[in-house]
Amino acid sequence: MGWTRDEMAARAARELRDGFYVNLGIGIPTLVGNHIPPGVDVTLQSENGILGLGPFPTEDAIDADIINAGKQTITELDRTSYVSSADSFGMIRGGHIQLSVLGAMEVSESGDLANWMVPGKMVKGPGGAMDLVAGVPRIIVLMDHVDKTGQAKFRKACTLPLTGTNVVDMIITNLAIFRRRDRTSPFMLEEIAPGVTAEEVRRQTEAHYEETPA
């Protein structure tokens, strides 16, 4: 079974804290904004210069001129503001974003992240990912546990070009959740999705991880 993408996003949303400024990456992370817990006031930031993103629009509320960095339509809030891309990246590089939730192609057991390109395939560039992992103190990754060929995405070492080294603090996949106490500690298996066994997680994970606190 495992978690759906919405359930993965909802689990990540539980990591948000009142007052946080948060950047959501392309893909599954964009769903996190639809699951912010009641009573938690966070400000979502997008690299293209939006501060205070609202949830995804219903079909009758789509405005093609209001898009996030992934070119997806979003909604405004009564406090939404717009800044230049330079100012937006200044927030990121200046340490003013408390948390970023990103997608990934691969994560290594030491917290390295690869999420911007596959060699041989045309890419437009890394976007804001490299700035985010360098300027934001806490990084959560949302990704499928294995790729389309069935290969583990949580690996001993990344095989794809890196976005950053030793930058990932928590991993949420459709099968399990891994977290580490700090960036010198190993990842620990924290939670397993309904209908999934510890043996299945182990079999589909290349990386080393702890199953009980060290």
Side-chain angles (χ1 to χ4, degrees), residues 100-104 107 113 139-143 168 170-173:
S100 185
V101 185
L102 300 174
V107 177
L113 172 66
I139 303 295
I140 297 174
V141 162
L142 289 180
M143 67 179 185
V168 178
M170 184 178 185
I171 304 166
I172 300 174
T173 78

Side-chain angles (χ1 to χ4, degrees), residues 22 24 29-36 41-46 48 50-58 61 66-69 72-82:
V22 179
L24 303 178
T30 59
L31 300 173
V32 173
N34 293 343
H35 297 281
I36 298 173
D41 184 17
V42 301
T43 300
L44 300 180
Q45 186 255 16
S46 183
N48 62 328
I50 306 177
L51 191 60
L53 283 75
F56 275 115
T58 55
I66 306 175
I67 59 172
N68 62 18
Q72 297 168 308
T73 54
I74 52 93
T75 58
E76 295 176 307
L77 303 173
D78 56 8
R79 68 187 191 199
T80 299
S81 59
Y82 296 88

Side-chain angles (χ1 to χ4, degrees), residues 59-214:
E59 192 169 337
D60 61 341
I62 290 175
D63 184 336
D65 291 326
I66 306 175
I67 59 172
N68 62 18
K71 299 182 175 60
Q72 297 168 308
T73 54
I74 52 93
T75 58
E76 295 176 307
L77 303 173
D78 56 8
R79 68 187 191 199
T80 299
S81 59
Y82 296 88
V83 300
S84 71
S85 181
D87 287 333
S88 184
F89 275 91
M91 285 190 68
I92 295 168
R93 295 168 183 170
H96 303 290
I97 307 296
Q98 283 77 44
L99 172 67
S100 185
V101 185
L102 300 174
M105 298 171 187
E106 295 177 342
V107 177
S108 78
E109 63 186 38
S110 58
D112 300 341
L113 172 66
N115 78 342
W116 74 280
M117 77 167 295
V118 175
K121 292 190 177 182
M122 187 180 74
V123 294
K124 297 179 180 179
M130 292 178 180
D131 291 275
L132 288 165
V133 300
V136 178
R138 186 155 184 255
I139 303 295
I140 297 174
V141 162
L142 289 180
M143 67 179 185
D144 290 326
H145 204 87
V146 299
D147 64 20
K148 293 178 181 179
T149 68
Q151 295 297 308
K153 297 178 68 170
F154 186 21
R155 307 175 60 90
K156 289 187 177 298
C158 294
T159 64
L160 298 173
L162 294 182
T163 308
T165 58
N166 191 23
V167 295
V168 178
D169 302 289
M170 184 178 185
I171 304 166
I172 300 174
T173 78
N174 56 310
L175 300 185
I177 297 172
F178 305 87
R179 189 197 300 264
R180 55 181 178 164
R181 184 172 60 251
D182 53 52
R183 293 186 177 177
T184 64
S185 301
F187 281 96
M188 189 182 75
L189 177 62
E190 180 176 283
E191 192 175 338
I192 299 173
V196 178
T197 67
E199 291 74 20
E200 288 177 279
V201 174
R202 176 67 68 182
R203 188 170 63 249
Q204 298 186 63
T205 308
E206 183 188 284
H208 167 77
Y209 59 87
E210 304 287 342
E211 295 197 35
T212 55

